[in-house]
Each structure stands twice: as structure tokens, then as C-alpha cells.
Amino acid sequence: MWSLPLPDNENSREIITTALTYINGDAKYQLTEAEYETLSSIYERYEDLHGKVHDDLLANTLSNETKQAIHDGYSEIQEKKRLTDYRSTLLLSAERCPCCSISAADELDHHLPRSIYKSLALYSSNLVPMCHKCNNKKRTAAGTEPSNSFLHIYYDQVPSEDRFFIASVELVDGKLKVSFEIENIESLDDDLYEMMTFQSRRVNLNDRLLKEINIFLAPFYVSMEPLYEISSDPEMIKNLLLAAERQFNSKMGVNDWRSSLLYALAHNHEFCDGGFKNALGVVEDG
């Protein structure tokens, strides 16, 4: 969740050539050597800018016809087209959608929109794995300021050791109430905080996570219930939850929602002291 390693761009020219060539080898659109060099320079500039909005990335020295051909060449990245392996490689870099960490990343989003930055339509550093729901929300919100922008998951590196994604839990009339929020901790850059806050709100992250909690916690109930019946010791339940949290920390990071939830539940004495037995039937928004 939040970040992914930068993809390999060594075959970027081959990707462009394939996208602009029919399966029989005929050219859909022929680029000159100078145009390939221009694209290479634009890609390098993209790296320098870490994918931030800039006029240099509009490729104004390329003809409109060339930019449109590259824009249209993205169709070859769709499923069962000539660049489907390229698509699969990018999608497989994310075990889950980096925006929500709920669903599989099954679509590619253009971080800088393809409609404006046509020359970047095929560039892997501009192709971000997302789930359909998050991609749909991102598509209608391409801002230029931290307060209205999504993270660039390849460049915007968030703290990995300090927990900033916080789950708050309480039992109210025996029901579990949960809410998630991003805390502006000292090690978190202010711009990143604004972007993550906007992104989380835009994809309805809190509401979507609430629908996942009962499903996620069901296997833990199966373990907690007999353990508590034998011991009646809340520390045993707390230790079980913390052991699971450490596993998720190792696999998904401390700021994955599952890690944050398990940590919060482990430190809620009422939940651990038998409260879980009635609490896991219904989870309500905090």
C-alpha cells in the first residue's frame, strides 16, 4: 500500500515500436530517429521531475500526429493485444491495489493523463497499477497541487517504519466501531500528507475498509474464541493479535490497514477481554 518500486524502462523503445506496428510487421506510424531521441529525452525529464506536472512533458516539439499515434498505441497494452505481457508485468508488481490495498490491481492508470500527455501513454513510469474502483476515482481527479493530487506510487516514498495510518476502535453497545485516519507524524512530509489525505478521501477508503473488516477478522475469531474459553486471559488474545500484526507488518508494511487494525484491536482491553465475541457480528463506522 502507498508505494511500489520503479519499473524497468530499458525496453521503452521496443515498447513504442511494437505499439506502432501491425502484427504483420507493417508500420501503423513510422517514427524518425530524431523523434525516438525526443521521446527518450522526455522520459528522462519525467524521471527528473518524478512525474510532476510540467510543460516540458507536453512534448511540444513533436507533431500532433506523432503524439496522437503514441496515444492511440496504448490500445496494444490492453488484454490480449500485442503488449499484453508488458501490461501483465506492470500489474504483477502490485500484490494489491496500492491505493486501497483491498482489491487486486487489475487496471493501469496514467498518472499524468494520457489525454494531455500523449507522448507518455506508453511509458511504464507513468503507468500505475490500480483496481477499477480507485482508477475510476483517480480518473476524474487529476490535480496539480498536493491538496488535489494522488501520490505517485513510484516516486513518492512514504515512511515505512513509522505508523501514520491509524485505526481507531471502540466497543459501543457491544458493537465494534472502527475508523481510519492518516496522522501527520513528524517523519511524514506535509505534501505527502495532503496527497494521501486527498487520495484516501477520493477513493472512499474509510467506507470501503469497513466492509472488509468482518471478512478479514472472521479467521481470528475462530482462533480467539477457544483460546479465551480456556484461559479467560485478555493478554492471550492481545498476544495473538500482535503476532498476526507482526506478520502483516513484514508482508504488507506497518501502514497497511490490516496491520493498523490488528494493532488497535490488540490494545483495546475490552475487545480482548471477551468483547470480541459479540463485536465481530457488525462493524460500524466510527
Side-chain angles (χ1 to χ4, degrees), residues 176-180 206-207 210 283-286:
L176 181 62
K177 302 191 69 162
V178 181
S179 63
F180 295 88
N206 203 66
D207 290 343
L210 294 177
V283 178
E284 297 185 345
D285 187 349

PDB file of all heavy atoms in Angstrom, residues 176-180 206-207 210 283-286:
ATOM      1  N   LEU A 176     -18.562  -3.257  17.405  1.00  0.00           N
ATOM      2  CA  LEU A 176     -17.246  -2.707  17.095  1.00  0.00           C
ATOM      3  C   LEU A 176     -17.381  -1.524  16.149  1.00  0.00           C
ATOM      4  O   LEU A 176     -17.956  -1.638  15.067  1.00  0.00           O
ATOM      5  CB  LEU A 176     -16.370  -3.785  16.458  1.00  0.00           C
ATOM      6  CG  LEU A 176     -14.931  -3.386  16.080  1.00  0.00           C
ATOM      7  CD1 LEU A 176     -14.142  -2.978  17.318  1.00  0.00           C
ATOM      8  CD2 LEU A 176     -14.250  -4.543  15.355  1.00  0.00           C
ATOM      9  N   LYS A 177     -16.853  -0.382  16.577  1.00  0.00           N
ATOM     10  CA  LYS A 177     -16.839   0.811  15.725  1.00  0.00           C
ATOM     11  C   LYS A 177     -15.393   1.091  15.337  1.00  0.00           C
ATOM     12  O   LYS A 177     -14.513   1.145  16.198  1.00  0.00           O
ATOM     13  CB  LYS A 177     -17.448   2.007  16.452  1.00  0.00           C
ATOM     14  CG  LYS A 177     -18.878   1.785  16.922  1.00  0.00           C
ATOM     15  CD  LYS A 177     -19.524   3.070  17.401  1.00  0.00           C
ATOM     16  CE  LYS A 177     -19.773   4.012  16.249  1.00  0.00           C
ATOM     17  NZ  LYS A 177     -20.748   5.071  16.571  1.00  0.00           N
ATOM     18  N   VAL A 178     -15.163   1.277  14.054  1.00  0.00           N
ATOM     19  CA  VAL A 178     -13.807   1.443  13.539  1.00  0.00           C
ATOM     20  C   VAL A 178     -13.752   2.643  12.612  1.00  0.00           C
ATOM     21  O   VAL A 178     -14.674   2.891  11.822  1.00  0.00           O
ATOM     22  CB  VAL A 178     -13.353   0.188  12.753  1.00  0.00           C
ATOM     23  CG1 VAL A 178     -11.920   0.363  12.243  1.00  0.00           C
ATOM     24  CG2 VAL A 178     -13.470  -1.060  13.608  1.00  0.00           C
ATOM     25  N   SER A 179     -12.680   3.381  12.684  1.00  0.00           N
ATOM     26  CA  SER A 179     -12.406   4.433  11.710  1.00  0.00           C
ATOM     27  C   SER A 179     -10.906   4.472  11.454  1.00  0.00           C
ATOM     28  O   SER A 179     -10.102   4.088  12.312  1.00  0.00           O
ATOM     29  CB  SER A 179     -12.904   5.798  12.196  1.00  0.00           C
ATOM     30  OG  SER A 179     -12.208   6.188  13.369  1.00  0.00           O
ATOM     31  N   PHE A 180     -10.535   4.903  10.271  1.00  0.00           N
ATOM     32  CA  PHE A 180      -9.137   5.013   9.883  1.00  0.00           C
ATOM     33  C   PHE A 180      -8.828   6.467   9.544  1.00  0.00           C
ATOM     34  O   PHE A 180      -9.655   7.166   8.948  1.00  0.00           O
ATOM     35  CB  PHE A 180      -8.831   4.140   8.657  1.00  0.00           C
ATOM     36  CG  PHE A 180      -8.971   2.663   8.895  1.00  0.00           C
ATOM     37  CD1 PHE A 180     -10.188   2.027   8.713  1.00  0.00           C
ATOM     38  CD2 PHE A 180      -7.872   1.906   9.286  1.00  0.00           C
ATOM     39  CE1 PHE A 180     -10.320   0.662   8.915  1.00  0.00           C
ATOM     40  CE2 PHE A 180      -7.996   0.536   9.496  1.00  0.00           C
ATOM     41  CZ  PHE A 180      -9.229  -0.079   9.311  1.00  0.00           C
ATOM     42  N   ASN A 206     -12.139   4.909   3.787  1.00  0.00           N
ATOM     43  CA  ASN A 206     -12.651   4.529   5.099  1.00  0.00           C
ATOM     44  C   ASN A 206     -13.913   3.672   4.975  1.00  0.00           C
ATOM     45  O   ASN A 206     -14.032   2.614   5.603  1.00  0.00           O
ATOM     46  CB  ASN A 206     -12.940   5.781   5.927  1.00  0.00           C
ATOM     47  CG  ASN A 206     -12.939   5.503   7.418  1.00  0.00           C
ATOM     48  OD1 ASN A 206     -11.920   5.162   7.998  1.00  0.00           O
ATOM     49  ND2 ASN A 206     -14.094   5.636   8.037  1.00  0.00           N
ATOM     50  N   ASP A 207     -14.859   4.113   4.148  1.00  0.00           N
ATOM     51  CA  ASP A 207     -16.103   3.356   3.984  1.00  0.00           C
ATOM     52  C   ASP A 207     -15.845   1.986   3.375  1.00  0.00           C
ATOM     53  O   ASP A 207     -16.480   0.994   3.760  1.00  0.00           O
ATOM     54  CB  ASP A 207     -17.087   4.134   3.108  1.00  0.00           C
ATOM     55  CG  ASP A 207     -17.639   5.371   3.795  1.00  0.00           C
ATOM     56  OD1 ASP A 207     -17.518   5.454   5.032  1.00  0.00           O
ATOM     57  OD2 ASP A 207     -18.179   6.253   3.109  1.00  0.00           O
ATOM     58  N   LEU A 210     -14.414  -0.532   5.923  1.00  0.00           N
ATOM     59  CA  LEU A 210     -15.373  -1.029   6.910  1.00  0.00           C
ATOM     60  C   LEU A 210     -16.089  -2.272   6.407  1.00  0.00           C
ATOM     61  O   LEU A 210     -16.444  -3.161   7.185  1.00  0.00           O
ATOM     62  CB  LEU A 210     -16.386   0.066   7.252  1.00  0.00           C
ATOM     63  CG  LEU A 210     -15.819   1.298   7.978  1.00  0.00           C
ATOM     64  CD1 LEU A 210     -16.902   2.335   8.183  1.00  0.00           C
ATOM     65  CD2 LEU A 210     -15.187   0.910   9.304  1.00  0.00           C
ATOM     66  N   VAL A 283     -19.773  -4.371  12.186  1.00  0.00           N
ATOM     67  CA  VAL A 283     -18.774  -3.327  12.340  1.00  0.00           C
ATOM     68  C   VAL A 283     -19.374  -2.038  11.836  1.00  0.00           C
ATOM     69  O   VAL A 283     -19.866  -1.963  10.707  1.00  0.00           O
ATOM     70  CB  VAL A 283     -17.482  -3.663  11.539  1.00  0.00           C
ATOM     71  CG1 VAL A 283     -16.486  -2.540  11.673  1.00  0.00           C
ATOM     72  CG2 VAL A 283     -16.895  -4.961  12.043  1.00  0.00           C
ATOM     73  N   GLU A 284     -19.371  -1.007  12.664  1.00  0.00           N
ATOM     74  CA  GLU A 284     -19.975   0.270  12.293  1.00  0.00           C
ATOM     75  C   GLU A 284     -18.902   1.333  12.148  1.00  0.00           C
ATOM     76  O   GLU A 284     -17.840   1.266  12.758  1.00  0.00           O
ATOM     77  CB  GLU A 284     -20.983   0.695  13.355  1.00  0.00           C
ATOM     78  CG  GLU A 284     -22.163  -0.284  13.489  1.00  0.00           C
ATOM     79  CD  GLU A 284     -23.201   0.247  14.459  1.00  0.00           C
ATOM     80  OE1 GLU A 284     -22.891   1.183  15.201  1.00  0.00           O
ATOM     81  OE2 GLU A 284     -24.323  -0.286  14.454  1.00  0.00           O
ATOM     82  N   ASP A 285     -19.232   2.338  11.348  1.00  0.00           N
ATOM     83  CA  ASP A 285     -18.330   3.471  11.134  1.00  0.00           C
ATOM     84  C   ASP A 285     -18.173   4.238  12.436  1.00  0.00           C
ATOM     85  O   ASP A 285     -19.157   4.536  13.124  1.00  0.00           O
ATOM     86  CB  ASP A 285     -18.927   4.377  10.054  1.00  0.00           C
ATOM     87  CG  ASP A 285     -17.972   5.485   9.642  1.00  0.00           C
ATOM     88  OD1 ASP A 285     -16.964   5.667  10.342  1.00  0.00           O
ATOM     89  OD2 ASP A 285     -18.260   6.150   8.633  1.00  0.00           O
ATOM     90  N   GLY A 286     -16.872   4.545  12.768  1.00  0.00           N
ATOM     91  CA  GLY A 286     -16.624   5.316  13.986  1.00  0.00           C
ATOM     92  C   GLY A 286     -16.876   6.784  13.806  1.00  0.00           C
ATOM     93  O   GLY A 286     -16.768   7.545  14.733  1.00  0.00           O
TER      94      GLY A 286
END
